[in-house]
Amino acid sequence: ELMTGYTMLRNGGVGNGGQPWVLRWSSRIRLTWLSFTLFIILVFFPLIAHYYLTTIDDVDDAGKRIFGPRTGNELCEVKHVQDLCRIRESVSEELLQLEAKRQELNSEIAKLNLKIEACKKSIENAKQDLLQLKNVISQTEHSYKELMAQNQPKLSLPIRLLPDKDDVTFPLPKSNRNCRLHNCFDYSRCPLTSGFPVYVYNSDDYPFGSSLDPLIKQAFEATVRTNVYVTENANIACVYIILVGEMQEPIMPKPTELEQQLHSLPYWRTDGHNHVIINLSRKSETQNFIYNISTGRAMIAQSTFYDAQYRPGFDIVVSPLVHAMSEPNFLEIPPQVPVKRKYLFSFQGEKIESLRSSLQEVRSFEEEIEGNAPADYDDRIITTLKAVQDSKLDFVLVEFTCKNQPKASLPTEWALCGERDDRLELLKLSTFALIITPGDTHLVISAGCTMRLFEALEVGAIPVVLGEQVQLPYNDVIRWNEAALIIPKPRITEVHFLLRSISDNDLLAMRRQGRFLWETYFSTSDNVFSTVLAVIRTRIQIPAAPIREEPAVEIPHRSGKAAGTDPNMADNGDLDLGPVETEPPYASPKYLRNFTLTAMDIYRNWNSAPGPFHLFPYTPLDPVLPSEAKFLGSGTGFRPIGGGAGGSGKEFQAALGGNVPREQFTVVMLTYEREEVLMNSLERLNGLPYLNKVVVVWNSPKLPSEDLLWPDIGVPIMVVRTEKNSLNNRFLPWDEIDTEAILSIDDDAHLRHDEIMFGFRVWREARDRIVGFPGRYHAWDIPHQSWLYNSNYSCELSMVLTGAAFFHKYYAYLYSYVMPQAIRDMVDEYINCEDIAMNFLVSHLTRKPPIKVTSRWTFRCPGCPQALSHDDSHFHERHKCINFFVKVYGYMPLLYTQFRVDSVLFKTRLPHDKTKCFKFI
């Protein structure tokens, strides 16, 4: 730099920048001095300050030290740091504790890791064992199914076996009088699974056909055309039927001619075995013209028999065919109440042969026994009955002389007096109707007696048959002592006392049983012919043919819409209502008692008038129901198989329980052009346990909208098209219904799942009853002397509406095929009352009231369109329906009940870890 400055001075003092070099030199010197001065200050001043601070406290008074170091205790004495000290101590203690816990947890983690490894090994071993057990279970189930298939195969309609074309010869009895089924009937033509085919000869093809009564002939032919057993193939027939009477007397063939014509029948086969000769009587004077004809091994079915002609257990005593071409008018039939009528008993008749002897002096009882018993007993009967009438203890009417010409009759038989209408008017006023059997004891039954019996049963007069030797119609299968009094003639003096001693309840029971027998076996030509076939079929123990079901014509519809969950339906609390079926729908087993029903229940089926355990009164006439076995059951229960899980919590809810461990039900929903309401109701069924399928009865002629998307609720939805708009369609026995249990529900009914499940459980305990939710009752209107329908809240009820109720499919058959057509016609006329009709039917058959479950009284969904029940005329029509149904049945079958069914543990306090059977809100 000095050289540079010297150079710059030498060069005239001018540098590169044009500045004097002296100035540049002075600037550099100042900067150097400033830097040195700052260095001295920054280094030496801190050292001096440090020294001063460390020596300033070196005085005798220690208390005056300010900057000297202090001990920890002295520092803590400072007020503003005392809290910090305490915090430090507590944190130190917690850190020590956490460290101890950490070490303990590390130890436990190590132990658990060891256990995890051991559990993993155990799981692997358990998986292997489970796989082996599954294989064992699978093999066991397969073996079980094989054993079940061998010992208890799944039942179905039996395979039909047909008879051989060539008849098997069997020895002839010594006399036709000795004919019985074992020696005069060819069982080989009637296998148990044959279906009981019956071939009916056409009477017009034979000369005697022109002599038949036209009305009987026409009625018989009409009945044959509709009978399920009649076949046109004579080669496979089990029984052959030929109608020979009633014949018109002017053109009646001679006995020898009729015998030759019978023997010349194409399938007579020399002796007429398996043939039934039917001689129907429409009038009381029908003659027994078959008495002098050789009928071989053929059965005879007629109303008049002599003891030398009648073969018990082989021939059949039939009822007269009064209503040949007309149905009985139920409105003209008197009611069954009041029990007591004007006359205690009545009798009108005339007997020409014994009239003269009846005017003579009555002999002693001992003399009557020693004398001619038949004539003497008739004389004593006349005298005794006249004495009762003259005593005036009771109103009785007995007339032994006709005011007009009596009807023709057989010898010693009491002839009918007057016209039929006049006789019926008298019987309507009589509590009992006397029927005096013929004086000739060889005449076991006559057309006149059967005509008296028919008329008495028709109008509700209890028959009193004098003469125990009489053979009443179908006496080998009907218990006549339940509907009539059969009294020996020697007890004629005790008849008045006996009739007065019968209670009103017994009188009503006998009258109701007699009405049942008349309606079922006597009233129409179809009933008479079907009864004759049923007697033969029952004797040879062939099961009845299955009853026909209503074919369901499905309406195609699109499904796939995911069903939503209604919060009202899903809110079942903590209840587990049961499993939603994941397997295919389970149908109720069918045809379980095809053979045992016929063999074991003969008398109950034939005599099942309304009573506690008589649930199938129409078995002999109508085909057997596919599922009747479990419904009929015994008097103490139905299908006693399996068992319930019991309990009060999940063990109860997880299983259906009861006496049938596995069962489902079908929902039948009637709808009419309310698509939105219907879809909402179907969606509410989503997830409902034990639901087999839903049958939607589309009651409108207009088909559903093509773009309507039906919900997917996890079970099949069958939309059935009906022929006409009728509320009776609700109860048709559709062939798509595979379960015994039917839940009939309206399309606007709003029920929770827990309510439905509880109703199903209750119905399974009372399978013969209607079990439902909304209750109603009937009441007697004193001012108007008629019945009223009432829907108000009441402490008792007699009906449960079928808009939300369970019932057995059995009743669907009876409602549609057996119940009087007049009731169904009235339902169609008013478009109303089908639920009342079903309640009438079930109460009439069981003599039990329905069962109401839960406290719910209404079930309509909020916001739904108004139904038919909101019409002003709705209740007026229901009043009329009840009174009309009472006329048809002849009495009021509805019964009152004052209880409802709730859960066993309803409102019962339980521990918190238990749940009730069901819960109601």
Side-chain angles (χ1 to χ4, degrees):
E1 292 179 355
L2 292 176
M3 288 301 293
T4 303
Y6 174 78
T7 303
M8 294 175 64
L9 288 174
R10 193 181 61 177
N11 292 335
V14 180
N16 296 334
Q19 296 179 355
W21 67 271
V22 177
L23 296 175
R24 295 179 60 84
W25 175 254
S26 62
S27 298
R28 291 183 180 275
I29 292 174
R30 287 195 297 271
L31 292 172
T32 302
W33 173 249
L34 180 62
S35 299
F36 179 75
T37 302
L38 292 173
F39 176 77
I40 293 299
I41 293 172
L42 295 174
V43 172
F44 289 98
F45 181 77
L47 293 176
I48 294 172
H50 182 266
Y51 175 77
Y52 173 76
L53 293 174
T54 55
T55 59
I56 193 171
D57 289 332
D58 292 339
V59 293
D60 295 337
D61 190 1
K64 296 181 179 179
R65 289 182 297 165
I66 300 174
F67 299 102
R70 299 175 182 267
T71 63
N73 293 334
E74 292 175 347
L75 184 62
C76 289
E77 291 178 357
V78 181
K79 186 176 182 179
H80 64 275
V81 293
Q82 290 180 356
D83 293 338
L84 295 176
C85 293
R86 286 194 297 270
I87 293 173
R88 184 190 65 181
E89 292 176 357
S90 66
V91 170
S92 298
E93 292 179 0
E94 290 180 0
L95 289 175
L96 292 175
Q97 293 176 1
L98 290 175
E99 180 64 20
K101 289 183 178 180
R102 186 183 66 82
Q103 294 178 0
E104 182 181 355
L105 290 175
N106 286 335
S107 176
E108 292 181 0
I109 289 172
K111 293 180 181 179
L112 291 176
N113 287 333
L114 295 177
K115 290 184 178 180
I116 289 173
E117 294 298 327
C119 289
K120 287 182 178 180
K121 294 181 180 179
S122 300
I123 290 173
E124 293 297 329
N125 295 334
K127 287 182 177 179
Q128 296 296 328
D129 295 341
L130 179 61
L131 183 61
Q132 295 178 0
L133 289 175
K134 287 183 177 180
N135 293 333
V136 172
I137 291 173
S138 177
Q139 295 176 0
T140 304
E141 289 179 348
H142 183 71
S143 301
Y144 175 76
K145 290 179 180 179
E146 289 182 349
L147 291 175
M148 291 296 293
Q150 294 175 1
N151 299 303
Q152 294 182 356
K154 184 178 180 180
L155 297 178
S156 61
L157 281 174
I159 299 175
R160 186 175 184 181
L161 298 179
L162 301 177
D164 295 331
K165 187 174 182 180
D166 297 332
D167 289 338
V168 178
T169 58
F170 51 96
L172 293 172
K174 295 181 179 180
S175 170
N176 292 336
R177 179 72 179 82
N178 299 325
C179 262
R180 299 296 184 271
L181 288 175
H182 69 277
N183 58 6
C184 287
F185 189 84
D186 184 4
Y187 280 90
S188 65
R189 298 201 60 84
C190 306
L192 290 176
T193 59
S194 63
F196 192 61
V198 175
Y199 178 79
V200 180
Y201 289 98
N202 186 359
S203 301
D204 292 335
D205 297 339
Y206 306 97
F208 62 83
S210 59
S211 303
L212 295 177
D213 185 301
L215 290 178
I216 289 183
K217 181 180 177 181
Q218 186 178 358
F220 184 80
E221 293 175 349
T223 299
V224 167
R225 286 193 296 267
T226 59
N227 194 276
V228 296
Y229 297 105
V230 173
T231 179
E232 296 181 357
N233 187 356
N235 294 324
I236 66 171
C238 166
V239 174
Y240 300 85
I241 304 292
I242 181 67
L243 179 67
V244 299
E246 181 177 59
M247 289 191 177
Q248 301 178 22
E249 294 186 2
I251 54 176
M252 182 184 300
K254 297 180 180 180
T256 56
E257 297 176 354
L258 180 59
E259 180 177 333
Q260 293 176 357
Q261 295 175 22
L262 291 176
H263 292 181
S264 63
L265 294 174
Y267 305 101
W268 186 262
R269 298 184 178 93
T270 68
D271 57 4
H273 62 271
N274 290 42
H275 277 64
V276 181
I277 301 174
I278 298 181
N279 179 23
L280 299 177
S281 59
R282 194 168 60 89
K283 297 173 293 187
S284 61
E285 59 269 20
T286 300
Q287 300 297 318
N288 184 14
F289 61 88
I290 303 181
Y291 181 74
N292 296 320
I293 294 178
S294 174
T295 56
R297 293 182 176 179
M299 300 180 187
I300 300 176
Q302 62 180 10
S303 299
T304 302
F305 279 101
Y306 286 96
D307 58 354
Q309 177 189 19
Y310 180 69
R311 296 163 292 185
F314 193 74
D315 294 326
I316 303 173
V317 178
V318 300
S319 60
L321 187 59
V322 177
H323 301 287
M325 290 303 297
S326 62
E327 295 288 335
N329 188 351
F330 291 99
L331 298 181
E332 296 180 357
I333 299 175
Q336 298 183 31
V337 290
V339 177
K340 299 289 182 64
R341 297 178 177 177
K342 178 179 179 179
Y343 298 113
L344 177 64
F345 62 84
S346 64
F347 177 81
Q348 286 182 328
E350 183 172 340
K351 184 176 175 184
I352 304 299
E353 289 77 1
S354 62
L355 181 59
R356 183 175 306 170
S357 60
S358 66
L359 300 178
Q360 298 176 357
E361 183 178 356
V362 180
R363 295 177 294 175
S364 66
F365 183 74
E366 292 76 8
E367 292 175 341
E368 291 180 358
I369 294 297
E370 296 176 358
N372 188 353
D376 291 342
Y377 275 130
D378 286 348
D379 293 342
R380 186 175 184 86
I381 289 173
I382 295 172
T383 304
T384 303
L385 295 181
K386 285 183 176 180
V388 174
Q389 184 179 24
D390 295 338
S391 67
K392 300 191 185 297
L393 293 175
D394 292 290
F395 286 106
V396 299
L397 191 152
V398 290
E399 296 178 353
F400 300 105
T401 304
C402 296
K403 298 178 181 179
N404 300 319
Q405 183 67 26
K407 304 293 183 182
S409 61
L410 297 175
T412 73
E413 181 187 15
W414 289 90
L416 294 173
C417 295
E419 299 298 329
R420 167 178 158 81
D421 293 339
D422 298 332
R423 298 194 300 270
L424 293 180
E425 290 300 323
L426 175 61
L427 292 175
K428 290 178 182 180
L429 302 175
S430 305
T431 305
F432 295 94
L434 297 185
I435 301 175
I436 305 176
T437 58
D440 185 1
T441 55
H442 298 293
L443 185 60
V444 295
I445 190 65
S446 65
C449 287
T450 57
M451 184 64 69
R452 290 180 182 273
L453 180 66
F454 180 95
E455 293 176 351
L457 296 176
E458 182 178 5
V459 297
I462 299 174
V464 179
V465 182
L466 297 178
E468 78 284 0
Q469 80 285 355
V470 69
Q471 298 291 333
L472 297 179
Y474 322 118
N475 60 334
D476 55 341
V477 289
I478 291 181
R479 291 175 179 169
W480 279 106
N481 58 348
E482 295 180 358
L485 295 173
I486 303 177
I487 303 174
K489 287 185 177 182
R491 294 193 180 275
I492 183 59
T493 56
E494 301 174 288
V495 168
H496 186 206
F497 166 77
L498 177 61
L499 299 184
R500 297 186 66 184
S501 64
I502 300 177
S503 66
D504 290 353
N505 289 336
D506 292 337
L507 287 177
L508 184 59
M510 296 181 69
R511 184 173 295 165
R512 187 166 55 245
Q513 176 71 3
R515 173 73 176 269
F516 158 74
L517 295 177
W518 178 80
E519 289 183 356
T520 308
Y521 308 122
F522 289 65
S523 58
T524 64
S525 59
D526 182 69
N527 286 348
V528 172
F529 180 68
S530 298
T531 302
V532 171
L533 296 185
V535 169
I536 301 172
R537 181 181 54 75
T538 303
R539 286 176 176 176
I540 62 179
Q541 299 181 345
I542 293 182
I547 195 170
R548 70 179 181 91
E549 295 187 299
E550 195 71 20
V553 180
E554 184 178 7
I555 299 177
H557 60 280
R558 292 190 304 161
S559 60
K561 174 185 175 183
T565 302
D566 188 341
N568 295 327
M569 305 301 294
D571 185 15
N572 295 315
D574 55 356
L575 292 178
D576 180 11
L577 298 180
V580 179
E581 301 293 341
T582 57
E583 58 183 13
Y586 176 74
S588 299
K590 302 179 180 179
Y591 312 111
L592 294 183
R593 297 186 63 204
N594 280 33
F595 302 103
T596 56
L597 180 68
T598 304
M600 297 173 58
D601 301 330
I602 293 177
Y603 281 103
R604 187 187 66 180
N605 294 338
W606 277 86
N607 300 274
S608 294
F613 307 117
H614 299 315
L615 305 178
F616 196 14
Y618 301 95
T619 301
L621 301 188
D622 293 287
V624 72
L625 304 184
S627 58
E628 70 180 336
K630 290 160 286 184
F631 177 69
L632 286 172
S634 62
T636 56
F638 299 92
R639 280 202 303 175
I641 59 176
S648 61
K650 293 184 177 180
E651 64 270 22
F652 173 81
Q653 298 162 5
L656 189 58
N659 297 320
V660 186
R662 188 183 186 193
E663 190 171 17
Q664 295 178 344
F665 63 92
T666 302
V667 168
V668 176
M669 186 176 296
L670 187 71
T671 186
Y672 186 89
E673 296 184 1
R674 296 199 294 183
E675 295 180 352
E676 182 179 357
V677 175
L678 174 63
M679 295 302 108
N680 293 335
S681 296
L682 292 175
E683 288 186 5
R684 286 194 293 269
L685 299 177
N686 183 35
L688 181 61
Y690 306 109
L691 179 58
N692 182 273
K693 76 173 57 168
V694 178
V695 176
V696 177
V697 181
W698 192 264
N699 223 22
S700 171
K702 181 182 177 181
L703 296 180
S705 303
E706 295 182 358
D707 57 347
L708 182 63
L709 193 60
W710 296 69
D712 183 5
I713 60 175
V715 297
I717 296 179
M718 173 70 65
V719 185
V720 178
R721 185 175 184 177
T722 59
E723 296 181 358
K724 64 177 182 178
N725 177 21
S726 172
L727 293 180
N728 293 315
N729 295 332
R730 179 195 298 273
F731 302 125
L732 284 173
W734 302 105
D735 56 3
E736 290 294 333
I737 301 176
D738 298 324
T739 60
E740 296 179 17
I742 295 177
L743 172 57
S744 174
I745 189 169
D746 289 341
D747 59 359
D748 58 354
H750 194 82
L751 295 174
R752 299 195 310 268
H753 285 188
D754 60 318
E755 293 175 320
I756 295 176
M757 282 307 305
F758 181 67
F760 181 47
R761 291 178 184 270
V762 172
W763 175 86
R764 296 174 73 250
E765 300 297 325
R767 308 172 74 90
D768 61 332
R769 316 274 281 276
I770 297 177
V771 177
F773 300 89
R776 302 292 186 265
Y777 71 99
H778 68 288
W780 179 251
D781 184 7
I782 297 178
H784 297 89
Q785 293 294 295
S786 63
W787 294 102
L788 295 178
Y789 170 86
N790 201 312
S791 63
N792 296 330
Y793 291 94
S794 173
C795 292
E796 64 180 5
L797 58 94
S798 58
M799 292 174 282
V800 167
L801 301 187
T802 55
F806 285 92
F807 64 88
H808 200 287
K809 187 180 179 182
Y810 165 82
Y811 294 122
Y813 295 101
L814 296 185
Y815 184 98
S816 302
Y817 303 142
V818 178
M819 188 179 69
Q821 181 63 37
I823 297 179
R824 293 190 294 270
D825 292 340
M826 187 154 194
V827 171
D828 288 336
E829 179 183 354
Y830 286 142
I831 316 180
N832 198 346
C833 306
E834 85 287 355
D835 47 1
I836 300 177
M838 177 59 80
N839 278 271
F840 265 71
L841 175 66
V842 176
S843 296
H844 171 66
L845 295 176
T846 63
R847 304 306 302 137
K848 298 177 184 179
I851 297 177
K852 173 177 169 51
V853 293
T854 79
S855 59
R856 180 186 286 268
W857 203 262
T858 60
F859 56 88
R860 301 294 180 188
C861 65
C864 291
Q866 287 190 349
L868 294 174
S869 58
H870 295 277
D871 191 356
D872 294 337
S873 61
H874 177 74
F875 285 94
H876 297 289
E877 293 172 350
R878 294 173 87 80
H879 300 329
K880 295 178 181 178
C881 287
I882 287 184
N883 288 280
F884 178 79
F885 297 164
V886 168
K887 290 182 179 180
V888 174
Y889 282 97
Y891 74 112
M892 169 53 76
L894 298 179
L895 299 173
Y896 293 106
T897 181
Q898 298 180 357
F899 76 96
R900 78 166 192 256
V901 179
D902 286 307
S903 168
V904 174
L905 297 180
F906 180 56
K907 290 188 176 181
T908 301
R909 294 187 177 183
L910 296 176
H912 68 279
D913 59 340
K914 292 289 186 180
T915 58
K916 298 182 181 181
C917 304
F918 280 96
K919 168 184 166 186
F920 301 109
I921 300 176

